[in-house]
């Protein structure tokens, strides 16, 4: 079954606590495990940036849950992909607190096609997925 992926950003509802985000992510991880979906959520306290991937039917169910969630507003889809390999296969869902500047840079990055650079080069600007992977790297162990 082909994989799909979606990345979006949104605003955290004011007053949302770390405990509420933890609960949201635990609930999402349970649902995503059943749906075969993996991904990561970044939060700077004001905004979310989330990437999730999996079978197309699992992506559809997951995205419907996201669109109906009450913990965020102003959802903007940054990119969508059909096909390809998993970028974050190790988490059914995981959240990572990040600095506001790091989230803003990642959000403003190139998301077209949800691709990564082919090779390290000082002449290539990192894509959004490159920036997400870099932010997640220290949380892999």
């Amino acid at each position: 079954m082909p994989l799909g992926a979606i990345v979006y950003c949104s605003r955290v509802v004011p007053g949302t606590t770390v405990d509420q985000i933890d609960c949201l992510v635990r609930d999402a991880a349970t649902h995503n495990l059943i749906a075969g979906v993996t991904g990561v959520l970044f939060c700077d306290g004001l905004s979310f940036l989330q990437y999730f991937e999996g079978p197309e039917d699992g992506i559809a169910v997951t995205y419907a849950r996201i669109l109906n969630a009450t913990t965020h507003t102003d959802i903007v889809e940054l990119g969508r992909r059909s096909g390809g390999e998993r970028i974050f296969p190790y988490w059914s869902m995981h959240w990572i607190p990040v600095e506001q500047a790091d989230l803003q840079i990642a959000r403003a990055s190139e998301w077209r096609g949800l691709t990564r650079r082919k090779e390290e080069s000082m002449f290539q600007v990192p894509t959004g997925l490159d920036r997400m992977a870099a932010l997640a790297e220290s949380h892999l162990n």
Side-chain angles (χ1 to χ4, degrees), residues 6-7 11 16 28 37 39 42 47 55 62 68 75 79 81 83 97 102 118 124 126:
I6 295 175
V7 64
R11 289 180 184 247
T16 301
V37 172
F42 297 94
S47 300
T62 299
N68 289 311
I75 298 169
R81 179 188 79 221
D102 290 332
K118 299 284 187 232
Q124 290 182 315

Side-chain angles (χ1 to χ4, degrees), residues 9-139:
C9 63
S10 61
R11 289 180 184 247
V12 176
V13 169
T16 301
T17 66
V18 169
D19 288 340
Q20 289 171 312
I21 295 171
D22 281 338
C23 184
L24 171 130
V25 170
R26 278 193 307 273
D27 185 50
T30 299
H31 286 277
N32 290 357
L33 190 60
I34 294 166
V37 172
T38 57
V40 64
L41 173 76
F42 297 94
C43 181
D44 65 4
L46 300 174
S47 300
F48 289 127
L49 178 64
Q50 182 175 7
Y51 173 90
F52 58 100
E53 58 198 1
E56 295 290 344
D57 57 343
I59 291 294
V61 170
T62 299
Y63 203 33
R65 287 175 47 85
I66 288 167
L67 294 174
N68 289 311
T70 59
T71 52
H72 62 160
T73 62
D74 303 327
I75 298 169
V76 175
E77 187 175 309
L78 299 172
R80 184 182 289 248
R81 179 188 79 221
S82 277
E85 298 178 4
R86 289 187 190 261
I87 306 296
F88 297 102
Y90 21 82
W91 298 311
S92 56
M93 187 49 60
H94 183 72
W95 87 276
I96 299 172
V98 294
E99 295 294 323
Q100 189 174 17
D102 290 332
L103 190 73
Q104 288 175 345
I105 290 168
R107 186 175 56 221
S109 297
E110 177 61 53
W111 291 103
R112 186 181 40 226
L114 294 184
T115 60
R116 296 192 66 188
R117 291 181 294 178
K118 299 284 187 232
E119 57 189 59
E120 289 295 320
S121 168
M122 61 188 257
F123 301 110
Q124 290 182 315
V125 175
T127 67
L129 278 179
D130 292 329
R131 293 186 192 281
M132 281 187 122
L135 290 170
E137 190 172 342
S138 66
H139 294 266

